[in-house]
């Protein structure tokens, strides 16, 4: 099998809520790319992702530039050979893992379709059960709205929540009020997105030490986070500090966290993220997973990873599906009672709404036809 053409679709997704990150910056949506990889056997693979979040190191123009630098060189390559495909991309382009993930994930989709197996099966097999999703808690002055939304979400079966948080006394008090609303079976992540100065981070963590919460990426560097980690008994999550397989190895060796947030895009696709997942499993670390933005296809990609992960180490999936203004798949995965199950159909298991893409997106063909 050979790659004959690579096309890119760009579209903007508006969210039904404003996300306020730990540093106070606001995000209301994201520009997302879908990449389509065609082959000489008539099998097409798709991948999707954006560049949402602190420390992604990418914007849409950088993502497209990275794809443009690789696509012509990948024509004629066998998409089923995931190792050689990644080797080829690394020779062409140093870094820019966010661009490489589009090609890698689309090749996983092709491999699944060609073999008649789901990506979940290819990643190690369905480990059973469903994957819990987690939802964001938005800090706002209208406390009744916060209470009402949390009540509705818990009634819908949501058990995992993430609170984007600053380091002021008001933030500390808000965390306390939210935690009080949740019961003992519900999990709260307090996420700073690396925005807290070290001296404030140690103080905030101390002030919250009596609560049943997880502290997520308080500071902007790995060393600072390790310092905070060693000063608290609260369970600790690393997110932005996890940039590649080497950072996972370092975190395991340093016992720097209890949970790792695996961003498929930031790690360069499922090939690298599977390696990170397997390391975390061996070390007994919990794992969250998500893409850096996107919609249905991005959700299905991260979901396949967690579905093939041992259940007692799954710590939640963040799906952008519940907050976007349009669906890009005809058969998106449904959230039922606070959880999702990965598709069992071949590949990533979704049928892309090509009419929507053609009508509501910008399109480029980056690689011409080579047979």
């Amino acid at each position: 099998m050979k790659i004959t053409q690579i096309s890119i679709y760009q579209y903007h997704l508006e969210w039904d809520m404003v996300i306020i990150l730990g540093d106070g910056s606001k995000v209301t949506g994201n520009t997302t790319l879908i990449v389509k990889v065609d082959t000489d056997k008539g099998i097409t693979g798709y991948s999707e992702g954006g560049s949402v979040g602190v420390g992604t190191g990418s914007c849409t123009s950088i993502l497209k530039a990275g794809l443009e630098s690789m696509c012509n060189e990948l024509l004629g390559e066998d998409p089923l050979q995931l190792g050689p495909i990644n080797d080829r991309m690394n020779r062409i382009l140093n870094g820019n893992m966010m661009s490489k993930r589009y090609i890698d994930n689309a090749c996983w989709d092709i491999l699944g379709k060609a073999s008649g197996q789901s990506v979940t099966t290819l990643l190690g097999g369905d480990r059973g059960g469903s994957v819990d999703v987690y939802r964001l808690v938005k800090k706002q002055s209208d406390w009744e709205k916060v209470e009402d939304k949390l009540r509705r979400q818990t009634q819908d079966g949501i058990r995992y929540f993430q609170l984007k948080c600053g380091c002021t006394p008001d933030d500390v008090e808000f965390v306390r009020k939210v935690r009080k609303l949740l019961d003992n079976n519900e999990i709260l992540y307090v996420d700073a997105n690396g925005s807290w100065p070290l001296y404030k981070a140690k103080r905030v963590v101390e002030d919250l030490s009596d609560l049943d919460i997880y502290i997520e990426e308080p500071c902007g560097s790995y060393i600072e986070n390790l310092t905070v980690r060693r000063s608290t008994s609260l369970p600790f999550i690393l997110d932005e500090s996890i940039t590649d397989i080497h950072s996972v190895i370092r975190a395991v060796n340093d016992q720097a966290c209890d949970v790792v947030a695996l961003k498929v895009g930031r790690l360069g696709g499922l090939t690298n993220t599977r390696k990170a997942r397997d390391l975390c499993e061996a070390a007994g670390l919990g794992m969250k997973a998500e893409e850096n933005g996107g919609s249905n296809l991005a959700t299905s990609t991260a979901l396949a990873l967690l579905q093939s992960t041992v259940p007692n180490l799954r710590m939640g999936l963040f799906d952008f599906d519940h907050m976007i203004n349009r669906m890009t798949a005809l058969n998106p995965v449904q959230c039922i009672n606070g959880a999702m199950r990965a598709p069992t159909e071949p590949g990533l298991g979704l049928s892309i709404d090509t009419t929507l893409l053609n009508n509501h997106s910008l399109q480029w063909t980056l690689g011409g036809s080579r047979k």
Side-chain angles (χ1 to χ4, degrees), residues 178-196:
V178 171
R179 180 63 261 188
K180 190 174 181 179
L181 286 178
L182 303 175
D183 67 29
N184 293 335
N185 295 317
E186 291 158 354
I187 307 297
L188 180 61
Y189 304 134
V190 177
D191 184 14
N193 294 115
S195 65
W196 298 351

Side-chain angles (χ1 to χ4, degrees), residues 270-287:
L270 285 170
T271 298
N272 290 330
T273 311
R274 179 181 63 170
K275 296 176 186 177
R277 187 274 309 273
D278 292 346
L279 267 174
C280 291
E281 273 197 358
L285 296 180
M287 284 163 278

